[in-house]
Amino acid sequence: MDGKGQALPGLAPVAKQQGAYVARLLRAKLAAAAPPSAFRYRDYGTLATIGRRAAVADFGWIRLHGTLAWLLWGLVHISFLIGFRNRLIVMLDWLWSYVTFQSGARLITGTEPP
C-alpha cells in the first residue's frame, strides 16, 4: 500500500524499490540507527511491448506508441543488463529473432484435447 492506502501495482519496479527499502531498514536495525523514513514508491513510468515494432510508453509527462516506443523499450531493457558481453549477446539474439521472424519460447500447458 502507498501512503494514501492505495494498492501499488504488482510490477518489478515496485518490488525492486521495496527490496531496497527493506535492505535500508535492516541495515539501520542492525546498526541500531534511526530507521529510514516511510516507504514511498516513485513511479518512473511504464513500458510495455505489445508486438512486432509495437509498444507503449507512459512516463506521465509524455506518452509514446508504435515503433519509437518499441525501440525505447528495447534500449531500456538492454541498459539494465550487467556487462557489455551480456548486452551484446542479447542484442544479437533479438536482432536474429527479428530478422528471421523467430518467436521466443512457447509454453504449452495443460493436456492435449481428446
Side-chain angles (χ1 to χ4, degrees):
M1 300 292 183
D2 65 9
K4 298 175 186 173
Q6 299 291 326
L8 293 169
L11 301 173
V14 177
K16 286 173 60 176
Q17 289 181 32
Q18 288 173 330
Y21 175 78
V22 169
R24 287 192 308 272
L25 186 64
L26 290 173
R27 269 192 243 114
K29 280 192 179 273
L30 290 172
S37 57
F39 175 75
R40 180 173 161 252
Y41 172 63
R42 289 163 182 82
D43 186 2
Y44 296 113
T46 304
L47 292 167
T49 181
I50 55 176
R52 188 177 178 89
R53 290 184 41 198
V56 292
D58 182 1
F59 298 108
W61 55 276
I62 188 170
R63 290 182 177 169
L64 303 170
H65 60 87
T67 303
L68 183 60
W70 183 72
L71 290 170
L72 179 65
W73 179 91
L75 288 172
V76 166
H77 282 76
I78 291 290
S79 72
F80 279 113
L81 295 175
I82 298 172
F84 175 76
R85 180 180 285 167
N86 290 333
R87 291 180 182 137
L88 181 64
I89 289 170
V90 170
M91 281 192 290
L92 291 174
D93 186 46
W94 285 359
L95 179 63
W96 181 254
S97 295
Y98 182 79
V99 170
T100 62
F101 288 87
Q102 288 182 345
S103 298
R106 304 240 174 163
L107 300 177
I108 300 172
T109 60
T111 60
E112 291 184 26

